[in-house]
Amino acid sequence: MRSLHPQKCFLLVGEGNFSFSASLCEARGDETHIIATCYESEDDVSRQEFAKTNIQYLRDRGAEVHFCVDCIKLKELFLPADRGFDRIYFNFPHCGRKAGVKKNKELLARFFCSCSEVLAEKGEVHVALCRGQGGTPADQPRREWHNSWQVVAMAAEAGFILNNVHPFSTGDAGGYKCTGYRSQDKSFCVEGALNHIFTQSLLLQLPRPLTCQTELEGRRVSFRVPEIFREKINRGFLDVNSKHPVRTVNEKLLEGLGKSLPILRANRPLSLVFEDSGNSSFPLDALWIVPIAEGNPDLESVAEMNTRETETFPSGFPGWDGTDQGSSLKNRDQFLGELYLRPSLLVFLPTVVQETELFSETVIALSGPVFRKCKISPRTLPVFHEALFICVADKGTEDTRMQLFAESLTGTLNPLLKAMGFQLGCTTDEPDPAELVTSEPQLCQRKHLIALKLDASDPEPKSCCVGTIGLVPWRPTSIGREIVYASLNLDLLAMHICGIHDWRMLWTPDERFLNQFSAGNLDGFKSFSLHPPSYMHDLSFWVPEPEGFNEAQFHAVVRHVCRESVVSVRLLDRFQPPETARTGLCYRLTYQSCDKALTGQQAAAMQLKLRKEVVRSLRVTLR
């Protein structure tokens, strides 16, 4: 009974001569209860050198020793009260004799599934593998993926992620002596072996529908949130009690700017949506359109239509041109128009200026999440937190005020970025539109880009745009004033300061992320999901009119169907056979999750759904 063992409980499976169990028992002492098991009978094991001595040592120290235990059927051995192991060890698993890669992969997959039934919620699974067997980048040399045991993919099938990996050292295990080469009492080479530590991940779940209410021009309206943003609305990253690194970076910016200019925080809540009146000047193809419903929409029917197996793309995501392209919505009369998710806080600049008494020496600070339609890539974020600083300047003094913004921002951020090898600077170079990280109305006159450089000593350093500084004409122009603004992408800044390589990690609900920043620090982030498995699928189709195919729309369909499980969409080929006027495109999609276990079956299911959706939404013909 686990209740009789209040200390930590470790389970070891597949033991040979029990030398590892004995060493672990000696090292852990009374703080851990050891349960050591092996697949063979006691008579067979006792024939191995040192086995009898180790078994007796374990029993004398109060450890349990079990024989004829199948590691893929652990649930059958342990009653519910006896489960909840803090750690499960499986050193150098092997099906025996000359079993090939396929059988050993199956063994690992079934072992992990068995572990999921008896492991504690925050328990660990330790799997030691010989050099190259795991197939991760930690293996040196690294085998080709198909010739490895694909340990991270096998673990993902049971909901496990690789939390840590380090060399397997016999010195750490005292008197450990490996045995079992080809099911014989012979040792094998453990030089270069690795110990892989797995933990359970959160479930990969499809978001439920969400309808939000907001006040817009004096009336209450309800709007449907695109499902890909369902888990990103009202997360409170910038709240007063938040320890999220995005808020910490924002507070550092406010503190730094406050040394040069008085800061006034705009406390007025700003809507997540705005109504395009034709003068916002935002490019429409960069905006997320959401349907608007007056009054109280039937939320139950909304939930029902989003959980159907035959869910169509526009049911929760309107057509690209603002029209419904064949949606199966039951209550069409409730959806009375369109709103746009805000692409930038600059949308509300006229309102803020009208409602705030602006003094020439005061900077108004705003911050909040913004949304934009963009292609899938590591540098372009469909949702992020924007920090916006605005002030007024008399005509002729704009450059001085912009220079002050630039000096204050770089002076505040560069000490934070230095540890990761980055340097922040301002440039007047015109950027690639795809690399812009903030959205701006066309009436804005961008003057400076705030860019990160990876290596200042490199004559051609890699750079990343994290913000802009510019002007907005004052209305009416006769007043002789201009509005100077600085807009920064807080998410990208937090990523570069903390060493976070995947923007999706900022939005993970896994407590192992926020726990690293619980003190409000900005130390280097240590990923809790190492070398996640990736799955590549190709998608080829004919487009009826090449000039009418919008690649950004294709990326948006991928986001909707696959959520954030696709990390890369790459055009492999564009071809036009001479015998036909049609144009063919072939894209390669890479599926990978940064914080959850993603299986090959899940990726294949999303790819199948995607194939159906591109035909329906984009009017293409699959090849």
Side-chain angles (χ1 to χ4, degrees):
M1 296 283 292
R2 281 299 311 273
S3 59
L4 299 178
H5 307 292
Q7 72 268 56
K8 289 184 178 297
C9 192
F10 291 177
L11 171 66
L12 295 91
V13 302
E15 283 290 90
N17 56 23
F18 289 89
S19 60
F20 185 86
S21 298
S23 299
L24 187 62
C25 187
E26 181 180 8
R28 302 289 301 193
D30 295 335
E31 68 182 55
T32 304
H33 180 66
I34 302 293
I35 302 178
T37 72
C38 72
Y39 185 68
E40 294 83 7
S41 67
E42 184 170 5
D43 289 341
D44 290 339
V45 172
S46 297
R47 298 190 186 102
Q48 297 188 30
E49 189 178 7
F50 307 115
K52 279 187 176 182
T53 303
N54 291 328
I55 293 170
Q56 189 59 49
Y57 175 82
L58 288 167
R59 287 171 171 165
D60 291 343
R61 297 292 295 268
E64 298 179 41
V65 182
H66 298 276
F67 302 92
C68 299
V69 174
D70 192 339
C71 70
I72 66 175
K73 299 178 181 179
L74 297 176
K75 184 179 179 181
E76 298 179 5
L77 178 63
F78 300 100
L79 297 173
D82 299 326
R83 299 170 192 166
F85 294 105
D86 299 288
R87 197 176 292 179
I88 300 177
Y89 287 89
F90 197 177
N91 290 325
F92 307 107
H94 200 278
C95 288
R97 301 199 179 275
K98 295 184 179 181
V101 169
K102 182 179 180 180
K103 285 188 176 181
N104 285 302
K105 284 170 53 181
E106 292 175 354
L107 171 63
L108 282 177
R110 297 177 70 182
F111 162 69
F112 282 115
C113 287
S114 182
C115 287
S116 67
E117 298 175 322
V118 299
L119 190 70
E121 182 181 355
K122 296 184 179 181
E124 299 176 348
V125 179
H126 290 230
V127 178
L129 297 174
C130 293
R131 172 184 285 170
Q133 287 178 341
T136 71
D139 279 301
Q140 296 297 329
R142 185 181 181 185
R143 292 186 190 177
E144 293 184 359
W145 179 247
H146 70 274
N147 195 34
S148 74
W149 292 9
Q150 303 174 11
V151 63
V152 288
M154 298 303 102
E157 293 187 13
F160 288 101
I161 52 179
L162 182 61
N163 186 254
N164 198 0
V165 58
H166 56 77
F168 179 87
S169 174
T170 55
D172 296 337
Y176 171 69
K177 297 183 182 298
C178 63
T179 185
Y181 174 72
R182 292 191 175 178
S183 303
Q184 304 173 68
D185 186 17
K186 293 183 179 180
S187 63
F188 50 87
C189 180
V190 296
E191 182 181 353
L194 295 175
N195 186 36
H196 305 78
I197 303 175
F198 293 90
T199 55
Q200 292 173 315
S201 85
L202 299 179
L203 294 177
L204 189 70
Q205 297 178 327
L206 293 180
R208 296 179 296 175
L210 177 67
T211 298
C212 290
Q213 284 193 335
T214 188
E215 185 171 330
L216 197 65
E217 297 182 0
R219 73 186 196 277
R220 298 292 295 179
V221 296
S222 300
F223 64 93
R224 290 278 302 281
V225 176
E227 291 164 7
I228 63 169
F229 297 134
R230 169 63 178 83
E231 304 299 328
K232 298 177 174 63
I233 296 290
N234 298 329
R235 292 290 295 273
F237 289 173
L238 297 175
D239 290 352
V240 174
N241 296 324
S242 170
K243 300 299 182 182
H244 198 282
V246 165
R247 179 182 185 271
T248 305
V249 171
N250 190 45
E251 293 300 309
K252 296 284 187 183
L253 284 171
L254 290 168
E255 181 183 351
L257 276 177
K259 294 178 180 179
S260 304
L261 293 167
I263 301 292
L264 176 63
R265 298 196 191 206
N267 295 320
R268 182 186 186 278
L270 301 175
S271 174
L272 289 174
V273 295
F274 75 104
E275 199 166 17
D276 186 40
S277 59
N279 56 13
S280 70
S281 301
F282 279 93
L284 291 180
D285 60 355
L287 301 178
W288 289 99
I289 308 171
V290 293
I292 180 176
E294 301 281 357
N296 296 312
D298 183 359
L299 298 183
E300 183 176 351
S301 64
V302 171
E304 177 186 342
M305 64 190 166
N306 277 271
T307 54
R308 292 177 177 177
E309 290 293 332
T310 57
E311 174 195 348
T312 55
F313 186 66
S315 64
F317 198 88
W320 304 111
D321 56 358
T323 62
D324 193 328
Q325 303 175 359
S327 169
S328 60
L329 296 179
K330 296 198 315 185
N331 298 309
R332 293 285 302 276
D333 57 328
Q334 290 180 341
F335 294 90
L336 304 176
E338 294 164 357
L339 296 174
Y340 300 89
L341 288 176
R342 63 190 191 194
S344 170
L345 299 179
L346 285 166
V347 167
F348 304 106
L349 189 59
T351 302
V352 173
V353 170
Q354 290 174 10
E355 296 182 355
T356 308
E357 188 176 0
L358 289 175
F359 298 99
S360 59
E361 295 300 321
T362 301
V363 174
I364 298 178
L366 304 90
S367 57
V370 295
F371 312 83
R372 70 166 184 163
K373 197 182 295 181
C374 58
K375 293 183 180 180
I376 296 173
S377 84
R379 290 189 177 185
T380 51
L381 287 58
V383 54
F384 58 91
H385 294 82
E386 179 185 19
L388 180 64
F389 304 98
I390 58 176
C391 65
V392 298
D394 295 330
K395 284 191 175 180
T397 65
E398 310 96 314
D399 290 343
T400 301
R401 189 51 54 89
M402 286 190 289
Q403 184 64 30
L404 183 59
F405 266 157
E407 292 176 355
S408 297
L409 293 173
T410 55
T412 299
L413 292 171
N414 272 330
L416 301 175
L417 291 161
K418 185 177 181 181
M420 291 296 171
F422 294 104
Q423 182 179 9
L424 194 70
C426 289
T427 176
T428 56
D429 296 341
E430 192 64 26
D432 182 344
E435 294 295 323
L436 272 177
V437 295
T438 56
S439 298
E440 300 166 324
Q442 295 174 1
L443 57 87
C444 292
Q445 303 171 24
R446 186 190 321 117
K447 299 294 185 179
H448 302 278
L449 293 178
I450 305 173
L452 286 171
K453 293 185 178 180
L454 181 59
D455 185 354
S457 63
D458 191 334
E460 295 184 2
K462 297 178 181 179
S463 63
C464 172
C465 176
V466 296
T468 58
I469 298 175
L471 298 175
V472 179
W474 187 282
R475 304 295 183 186
T477 56
S478 58
I479 294 180
R481 293 175 123 190
E482 301 279 7
I483 299 176
V484 179
Y485 73 89
S487 171
L488 292 105
N489 187 321
L490 293 174
D491 293 46
L492 273 179
L493 286 171
M495 288 171 60
H496 287 90
I497 291 172
C498 301
I500 301 169
H501 301 292
D502 193 320
W503 70 266
R504 298 172 299 171
M505 187 63 78
L506 292 170
W507 297 90
T508 180
D510 198 307
E511 64 180 20
R512 287 173 286 189
F513 174 78
L514 276 184
N515 285 347
Q516 298 189 40
F517 305 99
S518 58
N521 58 292
L522 292 172
D523 296 335
F525 170 68
K526 181 181 179 182
S527 179
F528 54 84
S529 179
L530 302 177
H531 315 308
S534 61
Y535 314 94
M536 289 187 292
H537 291 272
D538 293 348
L539 182 60
S540 299
F541 49 82
W542 299 105
V543 293
E545 298 178 1
E547 61 279 359
F549 178 75
N550 189 323
E551 192 173 51
Q553 295 177 2
F554 172 64
H555 281 246
V557 175
V558 174
R559 281 195 195 280
H560 173 80
V561 174
C562 307
R563 308 309 187 225
E564 298 299 348
S565 294
V566 172
V567 293
S568 171
V569 177
R570 185 164 60 94
L571 179 63
L572 284 185
D573 193 16
R574 182 186 183 96
F575 50 93
Q576 187 173 12
E579 65 274 10
T580 177
R582 295 188 299 179
T583 297
L585 301 175
C586 179
Y587 286 91
R588 173 158 294 172
L589 285 73
T590 302
Y591 292 80
Q592 187 180 61
S593 175
C594 69
D595 63 330
K596 300 179 183 70
L598 178 67
T599 69
Q601 293 89 335
Q602 290 171 325
M606 285 187 276
Q607 180 74 6
L608 181 61
K609 186 177 180 181
L610 177 63
R611 289 174 60 85
K612 296 177 181 178
E613 195 53 60
V614 294
V615 171
R616 200 198 65 79
S617 297
L618 303 181
R619 306 293 190 264
V620 299
T621 303
L622 295 178
R623 294 185 62 238

